[in-house]
Amino acid sequence: MCRHLGYLGPPLPLADLLLDPPHSLLEQTWAPRDMRGGGTVNVDGFGVGWYEDDAEPARYRGSVPMWTDTAFDGLARRQRAGAVLAAVRSATTGMPVVATACAPFAAERWLFSHNGVVAGWPESLAKAAAELDVVDLMTLDAPTDSAVLWALLRHRLRRGADPAEAVAEVVGQVVRTRPESRMNLLLTDGRSLIATTWGHALSVRRTAESVAVSSEPFGEDESWTPVPDRHLVLADRREVRLAPLPEGERP
Ligand code: GLN
């Protein structure tokens, strides 16, 4: 499955986060350590979104492995950001390998990533997708489970739903009927991070000035804490809160 990360903290070059640390997201492209049986490498594209000042985020996506994109290497060494969401992709069998299928998905201030798979796709998501506007369906980023999850979440956010509740609801919509799905979601507006664990790894690192969540710990420090499965993570620069997902508590 894919690997993703989110960061909030002092501005730093994207390369300091994504390319240069030991076991960076770049290394997780070709040598991930904890895929839990969902794929082996993450070479079907990548994407990064970042925030500068108070503006809407910028985004860079490509359908090639991160290491082959020399333009990205140059960009990542110059561009600084204090809020970042990035992902490397292992396409689920049958889903297209195109840049638009890569996270982050974006709208207004939001960036979103899904690490996992919706079991029984596409039939299993058809009922949930029927609540979307036709135009939402006609303008999906790509014909993938992740793009439909993003459309479902964006629909709730645009109607003013609480972001954490909206994320938990989208997980619930899927796992109530297909609990074997893998539903690690990650959402940010550049000020807070909302993440879920359902079937995949995730760790959190807090320092005095920053917070990071990542499918696999990167960097040399020992301060990463694994998030238990079936949990919701709410994080900003001041605190990290964990709560069990409602469906995870039901027998
Ligand atoms: N199922 C999604 C896709 O194909 C996410 C893949 C993943 O997490 N490996 O894009």
Side-chain angles (χ1 to χ4, degrees):
M1 297 291 124
C2 314
R3 307 281 80 181
H4 59 202
L5 71 76
Y7 168 85
L8 303 173
L12 40 71
L14 297 177
D16 284 15
L17 206 56
L18 307 178
L19 306 183
D20 295 338
H23 202 56
S24 63
L25 194 65
L26 173 63
E27 186 177 295
Q28 293 172 38
T29 304
W30 48 271
R33 292 179 183 151
D34 187 6
M35 297 283 273
R36 306 201 174 177
T40 47
V41 289
N42 299 291
V43 297
D44 297 319
F46 71 98
V48 187
W50 65 92
Y51 299 79
E52 288 180 272
D53 311 321
D54 236 12
E56 289 185 0
R59 180 172 57 159
Y60 186 99
R61 297 191 286 183
S63 60
V64 296
M66 196 191 256
W67 75 81
T68 67
D69 188 333
T70 49
F72 179 65
D73 187 86
L75 170 75
R77 297 191 183 284
R78 292 182 69 102
Q79 181 66 52
R80 300 172 71 86
V84 178
L85 191 155
V88 292
R89 180 168 183 241
S90 166
T92 299
T93 307
M95 296 192 190
V97 178
V98 290
T100 54
C102 296
F105 301 96
E108 295 99 39
R109 277 198 66 84
W110 300 103
L111 294 173
F112 171 75
S113 170
H114 165 226
N115 162 210
V117 61
V118 174
W121 157 268
E123 288 79 5
S124 59
L125 261 187
K127 198 165 155 221
E131 80 184 47
L132 294 170
D133 296 336
V134 175
V135 170
D136 285 342
L137 292 168
M138 291 166 75
T139 56
L140 282 179
D141 280 65
T144 66
D145 52 357
S146 307
V148 175
L149 294 174
W150 169 231
L152 291 170
L153 179 57
R154 187 184 57 190
H155 184 62
R156 287 173 164 69
L157 295 171
R158 284 182 172 160
R159 284 188 310 182
D162 173 79
E165 279 172 22
V167 167
E169 263 177 43
V170 169
V171 174
Q173 268 188 305
V174 172
V175 303
R176 272 194 292 278
T177 49
R178 299 302 298 243
E180 73 276 37
S181 299
R182 295 175 187 248
M183 290 288 289
N184 281 35
L185 308 188
L186 178 56
L187 177 74
T188 186
D189 61 357
R191 299 181 188 111
S192 63
L193 295 167
I194 299 166
T196 60
T197 52
W198 192 284
H200 261 302
L202 190 75
S203 292
V204 184
R205 184 192 65 188
R206 262 195 75 189
T207 68
E209 292 186 297
S210 74
V211 60
V213 298
S214 183
S215 303
E216 300 188 9
F218 60 86
E220 262 157 0
D221 52 288
E222 303 288 306
S223 50
W224 289 94
T225 316
V227 177
D229 198 28
R230 303 190 168 194
H231 273 65
L232 180 73
V233 183
L234 290 174
D236 61 24
R237 289 177 202 202
R238 284 171 297 119
E239 61 171 348
V240 176
R241 284 180 290 154
L242 297 187
L245 283 163
E247 283 72 19
E249 295 192 303
R250 295 196 182 120

